[in-house]
Amino acid sequence: MSELECRPGCAACCIAPSISTIGKAAMLPCASLSDEGLCSLFGRPERPAVCLSLKPSREMCGSSREEALAYLAALEAATAPGT
Ligand code: SF4
Ligand code: SF4
């Protein structure tokens, strides 16, 4: 299977998930996300390991930003502590 490319300007996975190591809440844009939808920590050691390990996939990315946000929101809800 060929590797999927990240969709430019999508940033769904920098918005929907919570990331405890950087205090990022779910469904809010990451503080490190630029107005252009790019990660300002890219290539820096402060970039969370979870972001480094996340790779685009058909399942997660879907065919639009809206699909990706819906998938990631559902995943977040399913894995939120206390649920
Ligand atoms: S959901 Fe997929 S396409 Fe969208 S920013 Fe994340 S990796 Fe890229
Ligand atoms: S640190 Fe960068 S890659 Fe990770 S969620 Fe924030 S903007 Fe996205």
Side-chain angles (χ1 to χ4, degrees):
M1 200 171 102
S2 63
E3 211 159 278
L4 206 70
E5 298 263 328
C6 178
R7 191 168 41 239
C10 173
C13 56
C14 299
I15 297 169
S18 60
I19 305 176
S20 57
T21 50
I22 54 171
K24 182 199 171 311
M27 301 312 289
L28 289 174
C30 177
S32 300
L33 186 65
S34 74
D35 291 345
E36 294 76 39
L38 301 173
C39 175
S40 58
L41 298 182
F42 195 83
R44 297 190 17 202
E46 306 93 288
R47 191 166 183 235
V50 65
C51 304
L52 280 172
S53 63
L54 192 73
K55 299 276 181 279
S57 70
R58 226 164 278 287
E59 189 181 19
M60 174 177 78
C61 304
S63 56
S64 67
R65 182 176 196 250
E66 288 67 33
E67 280 187 21
L69 281 171
Y71 173 86
L72 287 160
L75 192 69
E76 178 67 29
T79 57
T83 55

